[in-house]
Structures are given as structure tokens and as C-alpha cells.
Amino acid sequence: MSLTKEQLNKFKKILEDRKTEIEKELSKFAKKDKHTDDGFVASFPDFGDTSEDNAREVAAYVNRLSMEGTFGKELRDIFSSLKRINEGNYGVCKYCNEEIGEKRLEIRPASSSCVTCKKKFKGEV
């Protein structure tokens, strides 16, 4: 069962909405990376000149880097999924070429692998 045009449009909207949310969150503490189309670079905060301020800056920056990495990975997955929709192969596992279940796509629309392959790569099978 391949996805209908209506289903594809629904997933595309979900993915685009999530992309917008992530970019909005990233813009609060990161700037667009000039060297990539979809990357961001976390900014280093400036709280002051005391050693306590410096410690807070480093802690905040480490937190920002972590969030940038998490959001960045999700954005890459979203861009990849949107590309697959445009190419006509969204909903197909990139490893085994079997269909990704609709329930999996409902839970994680940016999925590029079926549950079986994901479990194999995680060592669960």
C-alpha cells in the first residue's frame, strides 16, 4: 500500500510545520551557517566579566551546542524527508526498499527506515 497524494500532503505539512518550529527555536540562540543551506551555529552568550558570569557563559554555550546538535539532526531528517516526498520515494525504507508503515510515519514523519531495519541497526534483532 503506497501513500496516497492526500497522505503525502498531510505528512509534508507536518514536516514543514516542524521545520518552521525548529528554525524558530534555533534562531533564539544560533545563527544560520553561511556555509550550508540548512545548518546553524550556536552563539556564545555574554553575561558579563566576572568568573561567575564566565562559568555561566560556558555552561549556557555547552547547552546551546547540545540543542543545536539535536535540532540540527532533526532538521536534516526533515529536509531529507521533504526531498523524498518531492522525488516520489517517501515512505520507503532506504535500506530494504520496503514500505515504512503508516503508523511509524504518523509517530515519526521524518523516518527513513522501517521498524525492522531500525531494530537491526540498533542491535535489537
Side-chain angles (χ1 to χ4, degrees):
M1 173 216 109
S2 56
L3 297 170
T4 66
K5 185 173 180 142
E6 184 178 276
Q7 289 170 312
L8 286 171
N9 287 335
K10 176 183 81 169
F11 286 120
K12 185 175 183 177
K13 171 107 173 72
I14 291 168
L15 290 162
E16 288 172 342
D17 288 349
R18 181 63 182 147
K19 175 185 163 290
T20 300
E21 288 173 25
I22 292 170
E23 290 175 336
K24 183 179 177 181
E25 284 301 312
L26 278 167
S27 71
K28 293 177 183 177
F29 63 87
K31 293 186 167 89
K32 280 270 206 192
D33 185 352
K34 297 179 232 177
H35 305 289
T36 66
D37 292 334
D38 58 355
F40 283 80
V41 178
S43 59
F44 195 86
D46 184 8
F47 298 136
D49 294 325
T50 69
S51 57
E52 184 179 301
D53 290 336
N54 293 340
R56 285 185 26 230
E57 289 168 356
V58 170
Y61 183 64
V62 168
N63 188 41
R64 289 176 179 192
L65 285 175
S66 175
M67 290 190 308
E68 174 199 335
T70 301
F71 283 139
K73 182 185 179 320
E74 188 174 356
L75 266 182
R76 284 187 298 278
D77 290 349
I78 289 170
F79 280 114
S80 177
S81 293
L82 291 170
K83 181 180 177 187
R84 287 193 314 275
I85 287 173
N86 290 333
E87 293 173 346
N89 57 6
Y90 177 78
V92 176
C93 178
K94 68 180 182 180
Y95 302 107
C96 70
N97 290 320
E98 295 294 323
E99 290 187 8
I100 299 171
E102 186 178 351
K103 288 183 181 182
R104 176 157 171 76
L105 293 172
E106 290 283 346
I107 294 167
R108 188 170 184 276
S111 293
S112 61
S113 62
C114 66
V115 172
T116 303
C117 287
K118 189 65 169 184
K119 285 183 177 182
K120 283 180 190 175
F121 288 110
K122 288 181 124 187
E124 296 176 12
V125 174

